[in-house]
Amino acid sequence: MILFQEAESSFTFLDVIGEPVVSLLRGYSAPVKLAGRSDADLAFLARFDQDPFSRWDALQSFATEKLLRRIAGEEVDFSDLIASLGAALDLAATDPALVAELLTLPGESYIADQMKFAEPGLIHTVRDALRAEIGRGYFDRFSALIDELAQPGPLALDGIATGKRSLRGVALSYLVCADAAEAARAKRLFDSAPNMTESLNALAVLSNVDSPERDEALAAFHARWRQDALVLDKWFTIQAASSLPGATQRVRALLAHPDFDLANPNRARSVIGVFPAGNPVHFHADDGTGYRLLADAILALDPRNSSVAARMVQPLVAWRRQPAARAALMQAELRRILAAPKLSEATKEIVGKSII
């Protein structure tokens, strides 16, 4: 398959049915973005490139291009992408950490960054539909991986063991995305989790399913870990990032929770910082409720910790990346912040420079 390989392995020619396909930037040899590669080339590299970075990069590029075209309204056939993702499963026994990365689709925020004007709701819908299709296509394989990757006994910290835990979490997320009834399995895995990583993986999956299992797992995790501040931060973070409807009301409830402390920077970031970045579909709600929530939080935080407040206002400052209607709502909240009496100089400078 390899026709020619440079000594430093920064690029390789691969042969696909007599036609050379160039595998560039092998081993992440240069921090650049490649453009103009065909679907056929990307599909081939995503399935057969033996360089881990180049294979991952091809899959990310392939998925991003197809998702962007579907978001733009094109009829897109995802079968070749799904086949490329399925081919990665063949490496599960030897390099589970790589497979976990290969199977992870580009994030919603990354996809939005590739668009002139982001459409978070549409991005979320299209990406989740693809995830569900992948989950259905490899349902039996993902289901088998849940058992194959189990690690009874003492916690192992080597690379293979860590990769198995990561891949198990990815497999579970695809199963639940394909069939919400799999929340029952996620709850069983949560209950029997032998370590924090697997407990958090299952909890994060359950957080996006409207089910009794979700509520039970969240309550159980809080009861067990409420005295450990760093672990409890994860509990807040998972809920702030949940894509279920009613997110702004849930986040406001988290801000009013007895264990939430606005004066604690880590706890503040676990909710106020996570919501805009980790939950763009609800932060950018068309009615502006997500923007108002963040502005209210900034106004409450600024007197307590102005440096953290100044950093957390950044998602509102990025209004130029949004369509006119949402941009206007974001600017309105920035003006409301700027009009607050005794606003810190740090926050005032950032907000003031962003408003036109």
Side-chain angles (χ1 to χ4, degrees):
M1 182 179 293
I2 298 177
L3 300 182
F4 172 79
Q5 181 169 328
E6 193 197 53
E8 295 299 322
S9 298
S10 62
F11 69 89
T12 294
F13 288 103
L14 305 177
D15 189 5
V16 49
I17 317 179
E19 301 251 343
V21 177
V22 184
S23 171
L24 296 167
L25 309 181
R26 297 167 69 78
Y28 191 47
S29 57
V32 299
K33 295 173 103 176
L34 297 173
R37 293 182 288 181
S38 69
D39 278 3
D41 285 1
L42 288 172
F44 182 78
L45 293 171
R47 293 189 70 172
F48 299 114
D49 200 322
Q50 295 178 333
D51 181 84
F53 173 78
S54 294
R55 185 171 183 173
W56 172 85
D57 181 61
L59 262 172
Q60 291 289 298
S61 298
F62 197 20
T64 300
E65 290 301 316
K66 281 185 169 287
L67 285 165
L68 287 172
R69 295 205 300 268
R70 181 67 187 90
I71 290 164
E74 290 184 31
E75 289 295 327
V76 177
D77 181 2
F78 287 107
S79 60
D80 49 358
L81 172 63
I82 293 172
S84 297
L85 290 165
L89 289 168
D90 295 337
L91 303 174
T94 56
D95 199 342
L98 173 62
V99 177
E101 293 297 326
L102 293 175
L103 291 176
T104 302
L105 295 177
E108 293 176 27
S109 294
Y110 177 80
I111 296 168
D113 285 343
Q114 312 312 306
M115 303 171 66
K116 181 177 181 181
F117 294 115
E119 289 293 344
L122 188 54
I123 292 170
H124 177 76
T125 298
V126 171
R127 184 178 181 274
D128 252 24
L130 175 57
R131 291 183 68 240
E133 189 175 349
I134 295 166
R136 289 189 295 269
Y138 298 107
F139 193 92
D140 291 343
R141 187 69 183 95
F142 286 134
S143 184
L145 278 174
I146 297 296
D147 296 327
E148 293 170 12
L149 298 171
Q151 300 177 72
L155 178 66
L157 298 176
D158 59 276
I160 292 293
T162 301
K164 286 182 177 180
R165 290 191 288 272
S166 180
L167 180 53
R168 202 176 192 218
V170 171
L172 180 62
S173 71
Y174 274 117
L175 285 177
V176 175
C177 192
D179 183 358
E182 288 297 304
R185 187 200 304 238
K187 179 60 164 54
R188 292 195 297 272
L189 292 176
F190 171 83
D191 291 338
S192 62
N195 53 70
M196 181 62 68
T197 298
E198 298 204 52
S199 178
L200 287 171
N201 284 344
L203 188 63
V205 169
L206 284 168
S207 73
N208 290 305
V209 184
D210 187 7
S211 67
E213 291 89 352
R214 173 186 183 274
D215 298 333
E216 293 166 8
L218 286 169
F221 193 90
H222 178 266
R224 181 177 180 182
W225 296 105
R226 67 172 304 179
Q227 302 304 323
D228 189 315
L230 293 179
V231 176
L232 196 60
D233 285 342
K234 302 288 187 182
W235 182 80
F236 278 99
T237 291
I238 284 172
Q239 294 180 83
S242 171
S243 61
L244 288 177
T248 53
Q249 295 92 327
R250 286 196 306 275
V251 171
R252 286 192 182 277
L254 290 174
L255 295 175
H257 193 280
D259 290 326
F260 183 80
D261 183 3
L262 197 61
N264 181 323
N266 286 337
R267 190 58 49 82
R269 280 189 284 266
S270 72
V271 178
I272 304 170
V274 166
F275 176 62
N279 206 339
V281 64
H282 291 297
F283 174 64
H284 292 289
D286 289 338
D287 61 2
T289 52
Y291 306 146
R292 176 160 289 270
L293 185 157
L294 180 58
D296 288 343
I298 295 300
L299 289 171
L301 177 61
D302 188 69
R304 295 172 172 83
N305 194 326
S306 60
S307 61
V308 174
R311 288 194 294 273
M312 289 190 180
V313 80
Q314 293 291 344
L316 285 174
V317 171
W319 58 265
R320 290 177 178 83
R321 295 295 315 281
Q322 298 300 320
R326 287 203 295 268
L329 292 170
M330 295 172 82
Q331 290 181 72
E333 296 302 330
L334 288 168
R335 292 191 181 94
R336 184 163 70 90
I337 293 172
L338 193 60
K342 299 182 181 179
L343 188 69
S344 71
E345 289 301 318
T347 303
K348 184 184 295 183
E349 179 180 8
I350 291 174
V351 173
K353 287 182 177 180
S354 73
I355 295 176
I356 58 172

